Amino acid sequence: MQAILISTLIGYLLGSIPFGYVLVRTFRGADIRVSGSGNIGATNVARTSTGLGLVTLFLDTAKGAAAVILVSAMFPHMRVLAFVASLAALCGHVFPVWLGFRGGKGVATTFGSFLVLMPKTIVATLGIFVVIVATFRYVALASIIAAVSFSVLALLMGETQNGIEISLLAAASLLIIYKHYQNIRRMLSGTEPKFQVNRK
């Protein structure tokens, strides 16, 4: 139980670092939460600045990877704890205590954590994401389809057969899909903006 709590705490605290908010506040003097979609993630930050969006993408990905790497080093014979840390990092990004539990959607953070745990699956999922964005230019649609596909791909590619790990994967996918509920409503009504970046 102690190991689970430690893994959860590490994952949550790393995941809760709001890099997008900090970067825009520091370099633009603005609150990203009142711009665009109001999201603190890389997609919304990129609408303000492509450069800051890319840095946010890298840092949000890195914090997910860092949570898994750190917990894996602390508990090398308990792989499932790395999955616990991954889900906790996602929760930290989505519900950061520092911003009143209003965070991002967690796609980049989840990508980073599972890149360490299941690289073949994440590369396949990334391929799906890129194709959907390139075809439809809806990042939200690509994120939802990637989230739906991830657990299935993990099983098909043989990177996990553990029931607890699969359950944690499914929980992460459901949380990501839930966080896109407003995007789903806008896509259904035809008002979801297509992805564009500001080149400043």
Side-chain angles (χ1 to χ4, degrees), residues 42-136:
T43 301
N44 196 41
V45 173
R47 294 187 177 107
T48 299
S49 165
T50 301
L52 292 180
L54 290 172
V55 176
T56 300
L57 178 63
F58 172 78
L59 292 175
D60 282 351
T61 300
K63 69 185 182 183
V68 169
I69 291 169
L70 182 55
V71 170
S72 296
M74 293 177 65
F75 307 104
H77 304 298
M78 301 177 71
R79 184 173 186 257
V80 70
L81 292 179
F83 283 78
V84 170
S86 174
L87 180 58
L90 168 60
C91 291
H93 182 82
V94 173
F95 307 112
V97 64
W98 325 112
L99 298 179
F101 302 100
R102 293 177 55 205
K105 293 174 181 171
V107 176
T109 301
T110 302
F111 174 84
S113 62
F114 288 129
L115 182 62
V116 178
L117 286 168
M118 296 180 292
K120 293 188 295 184
T121 301
I122 208 68
V123 168
T125 305
L126 178 62
I128 293 172
F129 179 90
V130 170
V131 169
I132 299 300
V133 171
T135 304
F136 300 101

Side-chain angles (χ1 to χ4, degrees), residues 36-37 41-51 53 133 136-140 192-200:
S37 66
T43 301
N44 196 41
V45 173
R47 294 187 177 107
T48 299
S49 165
T50 301
V133 171
F136 300 101
R137 288 175 54 207
Y138 288 123
V139 173
E192 173 75 1
K194 292 188 176 182
F195 179 66
Q196 295 178 333
V197 295
N198 188 326
R199 297 189 180 278
K200 292 188 287 184

